[in-house]
Amino acid sequence: MGDDNIKHQENDNKSVAGISSIIPGWFSEISPMWPGEAHSLKIEKVLFQGKSDYQDVVVFQSSTYGKVLILDGVIQLTERDECAYQEMICHLPLCSIPNPKKVLVIGGGDGGVLREVARHSSVEQIDICEIDKMVVDVSKQFFPDVAVGYDDPRVRLHIGDGVAFVKNAAEGTYDAVIVDSSDPIGPAQELFEKPFFEAIAKALRPGGVVCTQAESIWLHMHIIEDIVANCRQIFKGSVNYAWTSVPTYPSGVIGFMVCSTEGPAVDFKNPVNPIDADDSQSRPLKFYNSEMHSAAFCLPSFAKKVIESKAN
Amino acid sequence: MGDDNIKHQENDNKSVAGISSIIPGWFSEISPMWPGEAHSLKIEKVLFQGKSDYQDVVVFQSSTYGKVLILDGVIQLTERDECAYQEMICHLPLCSIPNPKKVLVIGGGDGGVLREVARHSSVEQIDICEIDKMVVDVSKQFFPDVAVGYDDPRVRLHIGDGVAFVKNAAEGTYDAVIVDSSDPIGPAQELFEKPFFEAIAKALRPGGVVCTQAESIWLHMHIIEDIVANCRQIFKGSVNYAWTSVPTYPSGVIGFMVCSTEGPAVDFKNPVNPIDADDSQSRPLKFYNSEMHSAAFCLPSFAKKVIESKAN
């Protein structure tokens, strides 16, 4: 963390890169990905501001959402609602197959997905490939309850390009791949494109599963349409869209493409590998349960129509 | 609409009462009900500003959410996402009982709930009691696709106090009561209190159903706890909490208390009176379907725990 690019500083919003301050003391999330609207959080104190090789990185203490991680001006997680995203993106795929052993996480440098994967006792190896080391370092410093995922001895961290990592993986290696990416503007763009999905399909075993961040049905139906069409060509097992509530993401929801490769059939809507009853653990699940799992695949009529029209 | 209180005016935000502008030209929803955060919408043009006997009323054309209705500084509906709220608050109760005939709507002056109730051909009488005539007038003028609900000949509009209206209703009159209220700060406060729920239980027939707006599990768990506890004392059939995604409501979700009185059992999670197949209608459903109906009752673990702890 001794990098020249990194500056700790007091709460002086006007000088904070990556913070579009519309009232002094508030962070406002303004983006061409959701024109005409902005969610704002009140800032108690800016804790970190840096510029990595890939993006602007900001951490602040908010007044009501705990600590907040911002990449290129977009909220990645808040302590108050990160449970919804991390638990769903992880357990939707992993609870849908029996005994997952090898899991690959692309992106997800904050470590929250690792924390969730580690709940699964069948898992023997957790590879993670994150492009931006600053995200890992910042999470370890400011988000211990998220970065705790790195403490698991099964985790192997690779800093580098996720697309290249997946392309270089031996065929049929993984039971599950989880793509915890930012939006398709900036460093994550390739993670929404066909060659990457093809590489994932190859890196998965037959009947292996993938879950990728897939935007909001309220805001990005055109992007989702393209992703669904691509996935239907590439993943020959099953192709599904699921969604969940995350208050600090634009429109209050985030979706996932949840697919499987040809091989043993995977019925994603009916989890075969439940982890509901783990309340004995030191960190009980806050959001996910088997009912929420199945419900996540139920779509509003306007979205269902578009997504199912891509079925052939 | 010739009231002295009503002024039409050009887009000059600084002079618009009820609009908290944090960026010039944007509306920002700031409230003690959700401290530390605000959702903002870009204003194209302010279309209406008035002060009724009960509240500030503002209508503006937003740049990406269509026209927006604001009461006392809080978003009530936008043309882009009103379907989610109106369809769910109406069809969760009405699709759960066979052949609803008499329906009462409390609040809901914009007419959107009426539009949805009117889809049910079994319904013979739709009473609505809205306290604020200005809401009705403004909706008829600016939101024709919402206020269209008033065109149905089965609708009888009563301008007045909803609590008094329900108290005066003859015992056992209604098959269903829908409470489409604003937040429990301001004119709607009593609609969250026990005497009102007791009056509803009396106005319903045995096995009749009620659905009331019941805030956000992410923001208002303490309010919800109280409502659930009250409802368990009063509604002796069944008491349930359901929720749905509405992007322009705080935290991106809104919940409903869905209860029935003692009498023929109502299994809310399994709708017996589906209206999915009405795409032949001139206004097909945009959001609701039977799958969404059942999914709405699945709750995240943190909410389930609190709500179910009120079960005894």
Side-chain angles (χ1 to χ4, degrees):
Chain A
M1 297 291 288
D3 196 294
D4 280 348
N5 294 327
I6 294 175
K7 290 178 290 180
H8 288 260
Q9 62 176 65
E10 293 307 301
N11 189 354
D12 172 8
N13 302 321
K14 279 168 199 158
S15 65
V16 177
I19 292 202
S20 336
S21 186
I22 53 181
I23 355 182
W26 290 66
F27 162 79
S28 293
E29 191 184 52
I30 294 172
S31 163
M33 288 280 292
W34 41 90
E37 66 179 313
H39 192 239
S40 305
L41 294 176
K42 191 157 196 271
I43 299 173
E44 291 294 315
K45 190 177 168 63
V46 175
L47 300 171
F48 176 84
Q49 179 210 353
K51 196 172 171 57
S52 74
D53 290 342
Y54 302 97
Q55 52 205 346
D56 288 321
V57 180
V58 171
V59 178
F60 66 85
Q61 179 71 46
S62 69
S63 69
T64 54
Y65 276 81
K67 288 201 279 284
V68 181
L69 173 65
I70 310 285
L71 298 180
D72 278 349
V74 176
I75 295 171
Q76 300 301 306
L77 66 84
T78 81
E79 288 181 315
R80 182 155 157 200
D81 66 358
E82 56 92 12
C83 61
Y85 177 77
Q86 321 270 23
E87 293 181 15
M88 293 299 274
I89 199 173
C90 171
H91 304 307
L92 288 178
L94 294 191
C95 293
S96 297
I97 53 173
N99 297 308
K101 291 202 168 82
K102 290 189 177 179
V103 179
L104 170 61
V105 179
I106 299 296
D110 56 65
V113 173
L114 301 175
R115 178 191 70 202
E116 295 307 315
V117 175
R119 291 184 193 272
H120 290 264
S121 55
S122 66
V123 169
E124 293 165 0
Q125 179 183 330
I126 312 171
D127 289 329
I128 174 167
C129 185
E130 161 64 49
I131 200 166
D132 193 345
K133 186 170 181 294
M134 190 182 283
V135 174
V136 179
D137 292 339
V138 159
S139 185
K140 286 183 175 175
Q141 185 172 0
F142 296 104
F143 297 91
D145 290 338
V146 179
V148 64
Y150 286 105
D151 294 350
D152 193 282
R154 295 167 291 179
V155 170
R156 298 194 303 200
L157 170 63
H158 310 262
I159 297 293
D161 174 41
V163 179
F165 189 90
V166 177
K167 281 185 178 159
N168 292 332
E171 208 172 317
T173 302
Y174 294 103
D175 298 288
V177 175
I178 297 168
V179 186
D180 174 12
S181 69
S182 46
D183 294 313
I185 290 180
Q189 192 181 330
E190 279 185 86
L191 304 183
F192 291 79
E193 292 170 0
K194 217 165 155 179
F196 179 61
F197 293 143
E198 283 164 345
I200 289 174
K202 217 172 131 194
L204 284 170
R205 66 155 168 86
V209 294
V210 59
C211 183
T212 80
Q213 192 270 95
E215 303 298 331
S216 160
I217 55 170
W218 286 107
L219 298 172
H220 307 121
M221 216 54 222
H222 55 293
I223 299 177
I224 295 168
E225 259 190 278
D226 288 348
I227 300 176
V228 172
N230 285 340
C231 287
R232 288 210 193 274
Q233 285 175 31
I234 294 163
F235 296 102
K236 299 296 189 187
S238 81
V239 171
N240 307 269
Y241 191 86
W243 63 316
T244 197
S245 154
V246 183
T248 58
Y249 286 166
S251 81
V253 302
I254 191 84
F256 309 103
M257 284 306 307
V258 196
C259 309
S260 65
T261 54
E262 202 164 9
V266 180
D267 176 6
F268 284 108
K269 292 166 195 174
N270 295 295
V272 294
N273 182 26
I275 53 161
D276 297 7
D278 77 338
D279 278 67
S280 58
Q281 290 189 14
S282 56
R283 290 175 189 276
L285 290 164
K286 291 180 187 167
F287 193 90
Y288 177 92
N289 54 55
S290 292
E291 281 190 358
M292 287 299 296
H293 180 123
S294 298
F297 293 90
C298 300
L299 300 178
S301 300
F302 74 86
K304 200 176 167 180
K305 212 168 175 174
V306 175
I307 288 169
E308 289 182 357
S309 76
K310 297 284 153 193
N312 38 9
Chain B
M1 296 292 286
D3 196 297
D4 280 347
N5 293 328
I6 295 173
K7 289 177 290 181
H8 289 260
Q9 61 175 68
E10 293 307 302
N11 189 354
D12 172 8
N13 301 319
K14 279 169 197 159
S15 65
V16 178
I19 292 203
S20 335
S21 188
I22 55 182
I23 343 179
W26 290 58
F27 160 79
S28 295
E29 191 184 52
I30 295 172
S31 164
M33 288 279 292
W34 41 90
E37 66 179 312
H39 192 241
S40 303
L41 294 175
K42 191 160 194 267
I43 299 172
E44 290 295 314
K45 190 176 168 61
V46 175
L47 300 171
F48 176 85
Q49 178 211 352
K51 197 173 170 58
S52 75
D53 290 343
Y54 303 96
Q55 52 205 345
D56 288 321
V57 181
V58 172
V59 178
F60 66 84
Q61 179 70 48
S62 70
S63 68
T64 54
Y65 276 80
K67 288 201 279 285
V68 181
L69 173 65
I70 309 286
L71 299 180
D72 279 349
V74 176
I75 295 172
Q76 301 301 306
L77 65 83
T78 81
E79 288 180 316
R80 182 155 157 200
D81 65 359
E82 56 92 12
C83 61
Y85 177 77
Q86 321 271 23
E87 293 181 15
M88 293 299 274
I89 198 173
C90 172
H91 303 309
L92 288 177
L94 293 191
C95 293
S96 297
I97 52 173
N99 297 307
K101 290 201 169 84
K102 291 189 177 182
V103 179
L104 170 61
V105 179
I106 298 295
D110 56 64
V113 172
L114 300 176
R115 178 191 70 201
E116 296 306 316
V117 175
R119 292 185 193 271
H120 291 264
S121 54
S122 66
V123 169
E124 293 165 1
Q125 179 183 330
I126 312 172
D127 288 329
I128 173 166
C129 185
E130 162 64 50
I131 201 165
D132 194 345
K133 185 169 181 294
M134 191 182 283
V135 174
V136 179
D137 293 339
V138 158
S139 186
K140 286 183 176 175
Q141 186 172 359
F142 295 104
F143 297 90
D145 290 339
V146 179
V148 64
Y150 286 106
D151 294 350
D152 193 282
R154 294 167 291 178
V155 170
R156 298 193 304 199
L157 170 62
H158 310 262
I159 297 292
D161 174 42
V163 179
F165 189 90
V166 177
K167 281 186 177 157
N168 292 331
E171 208 172 318
T173 302
Y174 295 103
D175 298 288
V177 175
I178 297 168
V179 186
D180 174 13
S181 69
S182 47
D183 294 313
I185 291 180
Q189 191 182 331
E190 280 185 85
L191 304 182
F192 291 80
E193 293 170 0
K194 216 166 157 179
F196 178 61
F197 293 143
E198 283 165 345
I200 289 174
K202 218 173 131 197
L204 284 170
R205 66 156 168 85
V209 293
V210 59
C211 184
T212 80
Q213 191 271 92
E215 302 298 331
S216 160
I217 54 170
W218 287 107
L219 298 172
H220 307 121
M221 216 53 222
H222 54 293
I223 299 177
I224 295 168
E225 259 189 278
D226 288 348
I227 300 176
V228 172
N230 285 339
C231 286
R232 289 211 193 273
Q233 285 176 31
I234 294 162
F235 297 102
K236 299 296 187 185
S238 82
V239 171
N240 307 269
Y241 191 85
W243 63 315
T244 197
S245 154
V246 182
T248 57
Y249 286 167
S251 81
V253 302
I254 191 84
F256 309 102
M257 285 305 307
V258 195
C259 309
S260 66
T261 54
E262 201 164 10
V266 180
D267 176 6
F268 285 107
K269 292 165 196 173
N270 296 295
V272 294
N273 183 25
I275 52 160
D276 298 8
D278 77 338
D279 278 68
S280 58
Q281 291 190 15
S282 55
R283 290 176 188 276
L285 289 164
K286 292 180 188 168
F287 192 89
Y288 177 91
N289 55 55
S290 292
E291 282 189 357
M292 287 299 297
H293 181 124
S294 298
F297 293 90
C298 300
L299 300 177
S301 300
F302 74 84
K304 199 174 168 181
K305 213 168 176 174
V306 176
I307 288 170
E308 289 182 357
S309 77
K310 297 285 153 189
N312 37 13

